[in-house]
Structure formats: C-alpha cells, structure tokens
Amino acid sequence: MDTKSEIYKREHEKLTEIFKDVEESKRKLVEGLIDDAAYLKAENVILKEVLLKTGMVKVHPERPELQKPVEAAKQYRQNINSYAVAIKTLSGVLQKNIVEEDDDMDEFE
C-alpha cells in the first residue's frame, strides 16, 4: 500500500496538471483548494483501508440490534463530502475557463 504522502503527492500532481492551462490568477486562487483536495484524498485512502478491515459499523456479537458506528467511518463520510465539494468547486473553475476560452474564439470566427 502507498503511504499517505505518496497518495497526496500523486493526487496533487494530477490536479495541478489538470489546471496547468488555466489562467494564472485562477490557478493561484485554487492552489489551496487543490492542496486540500489532495489531502482529503490521501486521508480517505488510508481510512478506507482501515474500514475494509473493521467495517463501518460495529455490531454486538450476541445482540445484532445493538450497533455502534466506527469513528473512522464518520470521518470518512465527512472527508468524502468535503472532497466532493472541493472537486465540484475545482470543476466549476475549469468549466468557466473552458467557456471563456470558447467565447474568445467566437470573436475570431
């Protein structure tokens, strides 16, 4: 299994590559969000490995109606939601950049 820092680095490089052609001011604006998204991705890969072993809910062995959520599962869900928001926001910046590029091309047609 990769280390958290390797996962972070790979995700950060991927997102940075995706934004390489975006206008510099927008790229600078989303740098922190790229960092956060990469961090959340790395955290969740590690948490997911734990959850594959433990499951997301502890069930009492003799009384299955007694259940308790695993703390890692709570954190995983929070991270997934935050990651989804970050990726959606980054995607919005990319879409806006593509639309603006298309608009610029219309002037020359």
Side-chain angles (χ1 to χ4, degrees):
M1 182 171 87
D2 292 335
T3 67
K4 194 184 312 185
S5 63
E6 290 169 335
I7 297 164
Y8 170 85
K9 183 180 178 190
R10 219 174 22 252
E11 182 72 4
H12 194 276
E13 287 172 353
K14 178 183 81 173
L15 292 172
T16 301
E17 174 67 19
I18 290 170
F19 277 82
K20 74 177 178 19
D21 295 329
V22 172
E23 179 185 324
E24 184 178 357
S25 62
K26 289 180 185 176
R27 215 174 46 246
K28 286 182 178 183
L29 182 66
V30 299
E31 282 176 354
L33 196 52
I34 287 173
D35 291 344
D36 289 343
Y39 174 80
L40 289 165
K41 172 78 172 190
E43 283 291 313
N44 269 4
V45 168
I46 302 304
L47 284 172
K48 194 172 186 179
E49 288 295 320
V50 170
L51 293 171
L52 287 172
K53 296 173 189 164
T54 65
M56 292 184 79
V57 176
K58 287 184 181 180
V59 178
H60 192 281
E62 296 167 15
R63 297 182 55 199
E65 70 276 7
L66 297 178
Q67 303 168 8
K68 183 178 178 182
V70 175
E71 190 62 35
K74 291 178 189 177
Q75 189 61 52
Y76 181 81
R77 284 192 302 271
Q78 286 177 334
N79 288 1
I80 284 290
N81 289 334
S82 296
Y83 179 76
V85 169
I87 293 299
K88 184 176 180 179
T89 303
L90 289 170
S91 179
V93 170
L94 278 178
Q95 292 303 320
K96 188 169 172 51
N97 193 66
I98 290 169
V99 168
E100 287 175 359
E101 285 177 4
D102 287 347
D103 287 348
D104 290 345
M105 294 303 291
D106 289 344
E107 294 174 16
F108 296 105
E109 290 180 356

